[in-house]
Amino acid sequence: MLPIALLFVLSLFGLSDTRPLKDRGLIDNAAGQTYDYIVIGCGVSGLVVSSRLSESEDITVLCLEAGALDHYEDEIQIPYYIGLQPDGFYEWGIYTTPQGQLDGVSRHIPMGKGVGGGSLINGMVWNRGNQQSFNAWNDLGNSGWGWESLLPYFEKSETYTPKNYAGREVQPVLENSAVHGTSGPIQVSYPNYYWPQTDNWFSALQEIGIPTSAEPNQGLSAGGYFLPLDIDPNNQTRSDARRAYYDPNIQRNNFNVQPYSQVTRIIFEQGDELTATGVEFAAGPSSPRQTAFASREVVLSAGAIHSPQILELSGIGQSSILEGLGIEVLENLPGVGNNLQDHGMIHLDYSYTNPDIMDVEDFATNSQFNDDSAAEYYSSKTGPWTAKPSCAVAFPSLEQTAADAAGMISAARSAAYNLPDTYANEPTLQRGYEQQLDSVLGELASENIPAFENLNNNAGGLDLALMRPLSRGTAHITSTDPFAPPNVDPRWLVHQFDYDVMILAMQVNQKILDTDAIQALQPSYAQIPRDANTDQLGEILRVGIGTEYHYSSTTAMLPLDMGGVVSDQLRVYGTSNLRVVDTGIYPMVPGAHLQAVAYGVAEKAADMIKADQ
């Protein structure tokens, strides 16, 4: 039973539900059962696909999730708690291999584990990226995956509520109803609080020549963005996949979700093509292996790190990886687990010290401010607790920030690729990478394509993330034990261009801090000296860079002769009824936070699967 205090808080939001778990759409008896569809992983992609497929009453769907069903914890629902969740909170706890190209140290790579996946713990930022980046997917041989094809599904996933912060010096929020949805499951809106430092931020960007985009989710410009969040405009709580796609549909008898069920392998029947007949799963390493069967399709939605792991354990992947572990190769697909892309990110702190302006750092140092903000949130759903993630960020282009953008791009074309060892003797992987490199550098020549992101927290946190990386990493198994974590090697900054862009971004930070608008906030320079030179910035970068949590492209949607794993219908090559639907299918990671993209791609995938019924 939930604690009385928690039930009281839930009742304030109208969220209390004390029914037993067995009455809330959960099952624990999938073993031996047959379903039309089995979806592996109940994160964003898996819940979208399974809930949409179950809209047909005569279709049965099972979604198997390795993690738990949450209990409406404050740490999930209230924006204030972003970044304050305890270690292991609905998360896998996986670390990378030591990053020798940086400082030789491994990094934690948080990934959501639970019904709702990463949407339970992410930063709530909602943006899609630029139109050209999705058109590039289409141009690489994926028919029907350009911007115009995806836009209806971006809209289908959301209910967008604009907000006018009247009286502000800078008013960046303008509604463009042509690119927003009005009846989708995810609530997309803005906090009921506007940090006054936001005005300083946009003034600073404009002072150094970075314009403000009126509608960033239209995908047409780079620059300063005021981005929405996946936040309910009424009760100011997180709108995640569990609450948007699972809770409203638990009354469906054909929509079955089973937590604590980690899939250990996919079961195939061999013929001209492999036919997925079911999956094997278990609650934990010492639990018995059980089997459920699929009469139509298996949909793999375990994420860009775990989906390749499951494919490899099932005999689909790079033959050298599988043979080295004694796994029978059912289908040699070198792309599985290769082509890993992530937005490398570094946390930089120039804490504002102006005592007359409160910011998010004062939550920890000023108990009165924090208590007052909490009381305001609980009483009226307004105030600073609604606005822990800043909506004011920047996604500048090379043209907007570099002295010689064309020279940087030219140098990138001739620089060493520094590809992973797994690319050796794999011409399809090499060909695919060269096509991606040409595509990304062609985009970056445009003034409308972001090269990096500056995540401003309105308190002096100016974190930086690389948007269009040329570095490629890997995620492969090293054991036949499905409960052993895969070997994840993001290889951030192995391509010289990525390093150069991040140094440029750090120098842009210095320009932003030198503006009159930011100097008024009295930034400090304890972490990064005000006059740091390129070598000093490089030392800080190599020690500090890690993940922005946007793992992708390890089961890429590309032609087979480019190292692809799935077709433009998302079917795994060499199989008849196995698809992958998660961020792993992206040929190239878009220059955006990925949750809005993940919802839209999964909505499109659900319709594709339905069309084949």
Side-chain angles (χ1 to χ4, degrees), residues 428-504:
T428 64
L429 295 182
Q430 296 169 15
R431 186 179 305 115
Y433 176 77
E434 290 172 353
Q435 293 290 325
Q436 294 172 46
L437 182 143
D438 284 345
S439 179
V440 170
L441 293 179
E443 288 180 58
L444 286 170
S446 166
E447 65 178 358
N448 297 320
I449 299 297
F452 60 90
E453 177 186 11
N454 188 310
L455 293 94
N456 151 59
N457 74 346
N458 286 322
L462 274 67
D463 297 347
L464 299 169
L466 180 71
M467 286 294 97
R468 305 313 311 276
L470 297 184
S471 301
R472 295 294 182 265
T474 60
H476 291 297
I477 59 174
T478 58
S479 166
T480 56
D481 177 5
F483 292 92
N487 201 35
V488 182
D489 186 6
R491 305 177 79 250
W492 299 293
L493 308 186
V494 296
H495 195 290
Q496 182 65 38
F497 176 77
D498 293 353
Y499 178 88
D500 292 343
V501 170
M502 289 299 287
I503 292 294
L504 170 66

Side-chain angles (χ1 to χ4, degrees), residues 328-369:
E328 180 186 1
V329 180
L330 300 183
E331 186 69 27
N332 177 28
L333 289 181
V336 173
N338 289 310
N339 198 41
L340 173 62
Q341 298 168 45
D342 182 31
H343 295 143
M345 182 173 73
I346 183 170
H347 298 285
L348 298 175
D349 183 16
Y350 308 87
S351 294
Y352 299 151
T353 61
N354 188 326
D356 298 325
I357 303 177
M358 296 290 102
D359 59 44
V360 293
E361 300 300 326
D362 290 297
F363 288 141
T365 61
N366 187 326
S367 59
Q368 189 62 55
F369 174 64

Side-chain angles (χ1 to χ4, degrees), residues 17-27 246 250-251:
D17 185 349
T18 59
R19 288 176 292 166
L21 292 183
K22 66 181 177 63
D23 294 331
R24 290 197 275 160
L26 297 184
I27 62 169
Y246 172 75
I250 55 177
Q251 77 283 357

Side-chain angles (χ1 to χ4, degrees), residues 264-280:
T264 56
R265 68 183 178 99
I266 301 165
I267 301 169
F268 292 103
E269 180 180 286
Q270 298 188 50
D272 293 338
E273 289 185 304
L274 297 173
T275 300
T277 59
V279 300
E280 182 183 85

Side-chain angles (χ1 to χ4, degrees), residues 197-208:
Q197 300 92 315
T198 300
D199 292 338
N200 299 70
W201 172 253
F202 285 111
S203 294
L205 293 180
Q206 291 163 8
E207 187 174 332
I208 67 170

Side-chain angles (χ1 to χ4, degrees), residues 388-412:
K388 179 66 174 292
S390 172
C391 293
V393 298
F395 284 79
S397 67
L398 290 181
E399 286 289 334
Q400 292 168 348
T401 55
D404 183 13
M408 289 185 68
I409 292 172
S410 177

